[in-house]
Amino acid sequence: MLTPSGMANRGTSAADTTLVKAIARAFRWRRMLESGRFGTINELAAAEKINSSYVSRVLRLTLLAPDLVEAILDGRQPQGMTLPRLVEDVAVEWRDHAERVDMPRTR
């Protein structure tokens, strides 16, 4: 089913807005750091008026496997996935991400 705006109807698998916003924020912050707009996480945190440890934790989301990020943005994340759980334990290997968050591999 298509909505008037042409977006597919997601039904009951709507994206978690907290997770989506955190991922968007993480990638925006990473771009700000990579572009040189801010030299350190502390400078970025001060400009955003938030705690630098929070910035550090959220920035970890940029290290998630692309298929996991896509699943979150599409609303296909495992039920019960929360932001605190996701940022506390980002695996070093992408192939381990799905396993750590109880998500079946799609690729």
Side-chain angles (χ1 to χ4, degrees):
M1 178 174 181
L2 293 178
T3 62
S5 65
M7 299 282 294
N9 183 356
R10 295 179 188 210
T12 59
S13 65
D16 181 314
T17 56
T18 300
L19 293 175
V20 171
K21 286 179 182 180
I23 288 172
R25 186 179 256 189
F27 280 94
R28 182 173 64 89
W29 288 344
R30 185 175 86 177
R31 279 192 314 274
M32 292 171 145
L33 289 166
E34 289 174 344
S35 72
R37 182 169 173 193
F38 297 101
T40 66
I41 289 173
N42 289 337
E43 290 175 9
L44 172 61
E48 295 282 317
K49 296 182 173 94
I50 54 178
N51 189 293
S52 61
S53 67
Y54 176 76
V55 173
S56 295
R57 287 190 309 272
V58 172
L59 278 169
R60 293 179 196 161
L61 297 176
T62 65
L63 304 174
L64 291 173
D67 57 338
L68 181 54
V69 171
E70 184 178 316
I72 292 168
L73 297 178
D74 288 344
R76 296 181 287 111
Q77 71 279 352
Q79 188 168 354
M81 178 182 282
T82 63
L83 181 59
R85 180 174 174 218
L86 195 57
V87 299
E88 78 181 18
D89 190 25
V90 175
V92 174
E93 297 285 333
W94 281 354
R95 66 177 177 258
D96 296 335
H97 290 179
E99 189 175 294
R100 289 199 182 183
V101 296
D102 302 323
M103 183 176 155
R105 293 287 301 175
T106 58
R107 296 178 189 161

